[in-house]
Amino acid sequence: MNVSESKDMVKILKALANPVRLRMIASLCEKPKNVYALAKELNLPYPLAYLHLGGLKKLGLVKEVREEKKVEGLPTVKYYAPSDFSFVLTPKNIQKLFQRKKEAVK
Amino acid sequence: MNVSESKDMVKILKALANPVRLRMIASLCEKPKNVYALAKELNLPYPLAYLHLGGLKKLGLVKEVREEKKVEGLPTVKYYAPSDFSFVLTPKNIQKLFQRKKEAVK
DNA sequence: TTTATATATCAATAATTTCTGATATATTTA
DNA sequence: TAAATATATCAGAAATTATTGATATATAAA
């Protein structure tokens, strides 16, 4: 996972700066599961879980895994697991992120 | 810096999940400076800079440094620098953070 | 002495994020 | 066939964050 833009890093930090989404990642770390099961486990209304997981998925922090799928046709149940990201937050790394990324023309 | 509680981690992530505050850390990394100078450099109204820096200071992500201080009495100008934090964001670390921190009584 | 520098706060608004409740649809199990 | 499982969306409300503009105060420089 390559985070070249500071904007992308902000998006990822925003996604991770939420207790519900962190709990989701923690839970999916133990065992991949579908949104419905996740919602039940974390005691969340399904649409909320769906929304939060959608955000994580969109940023690539969580991925769809095909586990225990029903053969014969498309899978009815979608399983999710965390993707193996690693972000090291230090002042130096933050500084690098905000160094003029756009070189002056000529 | 010891982040034992998941709540503390969420607070820190929220503090870092903001472009203004990240730019502040990046700028203070180059050279410690006061809020006024920081506000000018980043083109922010002073109260906004004051507020954002206050948040970072409160969480210990930024610290006051006594540099170029006027001797004789207290310093008129307060200089700030990033403290040397390091947070590694991985699914495993997030999982650890949310493992039942409270052991059942007896 | 006037202007620029500097810190500190606050009230109100603006913007964003989060959450709830509703709807639609389909499959699977009892 | 009725209930539970499952995905997908949305509109609106609620809550939180971010921003602006105002005020007060003080020091330092021109």
Side-chain angles (χ1 to χ4, degrees):
Chain A
M1 201 172 302
N2 175 35
V3 181
S4 53
E5 298 253 21
S6 61
K7 280 182 185 174
D8 292 340
M9 192 69 246
V10 173
K11 278 183 193 170
I12 284 166
L13 287 173
K14 280 194 180 187
L16 296 176
N18 179 289
V20 171
R21 289 188 291 264
L22 287 182
R23 278 162 64 212
M24 281 183 151
I25 290 171
S27 167
L28 294 178
C29 227
E30 283 172 19
K31 191 175 179 292
K33 46 185 80 72
N34 61 25
V35 187
Y36 188 81
L38 198 55
K40 266 204 303 182
E41 192 195 311
L42 301 183
N43 220 300
L44 301 168
Y46 172 82
L48 189 58
Y50 174 78
L51 189 81
H52 282 300
L53 193 98
L56 292 171
K57 196 170 49 171
K58 198 178 161 189
L59 289 171
L61 296 170
V62 147
K63 66 189 172 192
E64 200 177 328
V65 289
R66 300 291 172 96
E67 216 170 292
E68 303 173 54
K69 70 182 171 201
K70 303 268 168 34
V71 254
E72 199 93 20
L74 298 165
T76 356
V77 178
K78 296 177 181 176
Y79 288 86
Y80 297 94
S83 49
D84 62 338
F85 57 84
S86 181
F87 303 109
V88 183
L89 299 176
T90 62
K92 281 285 164 203
N93 284 348
I94 291 167
Q95 188 189 15
K96 276 175 211 159
L97 214 59
F98 282 86
Q99 261 153 7
R100 54 207 101 285
K101 18 184 191 231
K102 292 163 193 172
E103 300 296 271
V105 270
K106 224 184 285 167
Chain B
M1 200 172 301
N2 176 36
V3 182
S4 52
E5 299 251 21
S6 60
K7 281 182 185 175
D8 292 339
M9 192 69 246
V10 173
K11 279 182 193 170
I12 283 166
L13 287 173
K14 280 194 180 188
L16 296 177
N18 178 289
V20 171
R21 289 187 292 264
L22 287 182
R23 277 163 64 212
M24 281 182 151
I25 291 170
S27 168
L28 293 178
C29 228
E30 282 173 19
K31 190 175 180 292
K33 47 185 77 74
N34 60 26
V35 188
Y36 188 81
L38 199 55
K40 268 205 302 184
E41 192 195 311
L42 301 182
N43 219 299
L44 301 168
Y46 172 82
L48 189 58
Y50 174 79
L51 190 82
H52 281 301
L53 192 98
L56 292 172
K57 195 169 53 171
K58 198 177 160 189
L59 290 171
L61 296 170
V62 146
K63 65 189 171 192
E64 201 177 324
V65 288
R66 300 291 174 96
E67 216 170 292
E68 302 174 54
K69 70 181 171 204
K70 302 268 167 36
V71 255
E72 199 92 19
L74 299 165
T76 358
V77 177
K78 296 178 181 174
Y79 287 86
Y80 297 95
S83 49
D84 62 335
F85 57 83
S86 181
F87 304 109
V88 182
L89 301 176
T90 62
K92 281 284 164 203
N93 283 348
I94 292 167
Q95 188 188 15
K96 277 176 210 158
L97 213 61
F98 282 86
Q99 261 152 10
R100 55 207 98 284
K101 19 181 191 231
K102 293 160 192 173
E103 300 295 273
V105 272
K106 224 187 285 169

